[in-house]
Amino acid sequence: MNVISLESVDVKGKKVLLRCDLNVPIKEGVIKDDGRIRASLPTIKYLLDQGAAVIITAHLGRPKGERKPELSLEPVAQRLSELLDTPVIFSAKIVGADLSAISSGEVVLLENIRYEAAETSKEASERLILAKELASYADIFISDGFGAVHRKHASVYDVATLLPHAAGYLVAAEVDVLTRLTDNPARPYGVVLGGAKVSDKIGVISNLLDKVNVLAIGGGMLFTFLAAQGHEIGTSLVETDLIPTVKELLLRAEKLGVKLLLPTDIVVAPEFSIDAQPTIVAADSIPADQMGLDIGPESADAFAAAIMECQTVFWNGPMGVFEFPNFAHGTKVLAQALTQVKGLSVVGGGDSAAAVRTLGFKDSDFDYISTGGGASLEYLEGKELPGISVLQ
Ligand code: AMP
């Protein structure tokens, strides 16, 4: 995959519309993890150094076309200004903003683009009206919001069809890592998947089965696998309708000789709560009144040993309910193992990235932390990313 590089376009003295991914977790106006803002800085700084005026468009959450105050980007403008050490002008107006006076070296952040229903509309004609408005503000479009490139949205896709364009540094780096994960990855190649739902990951598991050497499954989704093997899973999360599909995947993995790792022990508790009493049980004998909330210590060690032998590792999704300290052990052991991988180690996804930071790891402990979970997974599923294709 090749994208038009930032350096190949002349941005000097130009107005640049920059799509960023600033979709950070915010609680009561306080930003909980500013990783995505930091990841956007290199491109913004480059554009400012080149003497461009930078107009940033981004989204926060899913306001579905309504002005929801709790999803305003205003706190992000302030944080961005601190990190850049430059004033960031916040424009509450998205459509009809007066940006004619913006000049070289200035930064504007437009309010949450998803306040406009047209941004995410399925109708190309509706999106195009908004895209034309955004395009009218600038001479050039730079796409750097990797977390949204799997979406055919006005500020991601349509605007690139209207203005000269290029990929920002973040998008270029993400594309480079994804290419390394898919074009001749160094072997053995291991993928670890966790998180809540099998339905989110079934496509990627299916597409990766004939490409990986090791596939380890943890998180809430592992119980659908245990159920498919005929085990009692108590009150654990399960997607019953997917049991037949999972059975097929297990058969395919066996035929292909893929080392598919499922836990042999599970940390269970009577209920889903922060102070629930944890007990370790064998994976094939979960009591009927208990739910599995983490992979057990024996399994965590086995997963860790298997991925430490790999030359390429991609990890998406926590192994358990890492937000509760009693059920964070599996995720911690896996994260620790990932830091020891000799080849390429990639943490994929906003939630997984937030998890490793919450557990006290530094970004620099891993080769690469992707900012876009959905986008990376869709690419690994073999799907086209519209926001990338339009930059090629
Ligand atoms: P996802 O957004 O699909 O990556 O899922 C992340 C969420 O999965 C985290 O908030 C975890 O708390 C949750 N999770 C992981 N393991 C389990 C489990 N065994 N039961 C319930 N939720 C889980």
Side-chain angles (χ1 to χ4, degrees):
M1 249 193 323
N2 279 315
V3 284
I4 303 167
S5 75
L6 187 52
E7 277 97 359
S8 68
V9 289
D10 181 10
V11 296
K12 262 184 211 89
K14 301 269 172 59
K15 284 188 179 170
V16 174
L17 179 74
L18 174 65
R19 178 57 158 103
C20 287
D21 176 9
L22 304 175
N23 190 23
V24 291
I26 299 186
K27 250 196 188 150
E28 282 143 28
V30 180
I31 296 170
K32 295 290 172 197
D33 176 37
D34 64 4
R36 284 176 165 162
I37 308 179
R38 289 177 184 275
S40 307
L41 296 176
T43 299
I44 302 173
K45 284 184 179 160
Y46 171 82
L47 293 171
L48 293 176
D49 287 348
Q50 293 290 310
V54 183
I55 299 151
I56 303 174
T57 176
H59 74 277
L60 188 68
R62 295 184 174 178
K64 301 200 169 140
E66 277 175 50
R67 288 204 165 238
K68 296 201 171 138
E70 69 277 16
L71 293 177
S72 169
L73 277 173
E74 202 161 1
V76 173
Q78 195 179 339
R79 184 78 190 113
L80 182 59
S81 166
E82 286 160 17
L83 292 169
L84 284 173
D85 202 13
T86 297
V88 171
I89 303 161
F90 179 69
S91 171
K93 271 195 176 172
I94 302 164
V95 171
D98 180 10
L99 304 178
S100 53
I102 301 299
S103 61
S104 172
E106 288 188 322
V107 187
V108 176
L109 174 60
L110 299 176
E111 180 58 287
N112 190 345
I113 188 72
R114 290 194 190 165
Y115 280 1
E116 296 291 336
E119 165 70 357
T120 57
S121 173
K122 297 246 181 304
E123 293 299 324
S125 56
E126 286 177 15
R127 293 197 312 268
L128 203 59
I129 295 170
L130 178 61
K132 280 184 179 159
E133 181 74 19
L134 294 172
S136 74
Y137 296 148
D139 309 301
I140 294 170
F141 173 62
I142 303 294
S143 174
D144 213 25
F146 180 73
V149 292
H150 55 315
R151 310 279 185 209
K152 208 169 200 179
H153 288 172
S155 71
V156 177
Y157 172 80
D158 301 86
V159 76
T161 65
L162 300 172
L163 287 174
H165 54 256
Y169 289 130
L170 177 63
V171 160
E174 298 269 7
V175 165
D176 181 51
V177 166
L178 286 177
T179 308
R180 286 168 69 195
L181 286 176
T182 43
D183 292 2
N184 273 325
R187 295 193 177 269
Y189 177 15
V191 170
V192 185
L193 296 173
K197 289 185 172 169
V198 190
S199 44
D200 289 350
K201 310 271 157 77
I202 208 92
V204 79
I205 297 173
S206 181
N207 194 47
L208 284 177
L209 261 192
D210 56 2
K211 302 183 177 66
V212 298
N213 305 100
V214 177
L215 180 61
I217 309 276
M221 62 189 230
L222 78 89
F223 301 99
T224 305
F225 281 77
L226 293 183
Q229 290 180 325
H231 300 308
E232 165 71 53
I233 52 159
T235 56
S236 311
L237 272 188
V238 65
E239 288 173 82
T240 320
D241 53 326
L242 286 176
I243 291 178
T245 315
V246 168
K247 279 187 181 163
E248 275 169 35
L249 285 176
L250 288 168
L251 277 176
R252 251 183 79 206
E254 203 179 311
K255 277 196 197 133
L256 288 163
V258 173
K259 195 166 167 186
L260 195 141
L261 296 176
L262 284 167
T264 50
D265 58 344
I266 303 284
V267 185
V268 298
E271 80 267 330
F272 186 91
S273 88
I274 191 158
D275 44 20
Q277 191 58 41
T279 314
I280 298 162
V281 299
D284 59 3
S285 42
I286 297 176
D289 60 349
Q290 304 270 315
M291 62 174 66
L293 295 179
D294 193 11
I295 60 171
E298 182 186 280
S299 313
D301 289 347
F303 283 17
I307 69 158
M308 280 195 290
E309 281 174 17
C310 291
Q311 291 296 319
T312 307
V313 181
F314 174 78
W315 174 31
N316 181 291
M319 294 294 98
V321 185
F322 72 95
E323 297 92 335
F324 301 160
N326 283 342
F327 308 100
H329 181 76
T331 305
K332 245 186 226 166
V333 171
L334 239 290
Q336 183 62 39
L338 211 66
T339 67
Q340 318 273 304
V341 169
K342 300 253 164 19
L344 175 69
S345 62
V346 181
V347 179
D351 290 341
S352 313
V356 295
R357 291 190 193 111
T358 310
L359 296 174
F361 292 90
K362 295 194 295 290
D363 288 20
S364 56
D365 291 335
F366 308 93
D367 285 316
Y368 197 75
I369 301 193
S370 170
T371 53
S376 334
L377 285 178
E378 287 204 10
Y379 183 75
L380 295 178
E381 246 176 83
K383 288 189 183 161
E384 186 194 338
L385 305 177
I388 298 294
S389 305
V390 78
L391 304 176
Q392 285 173 331

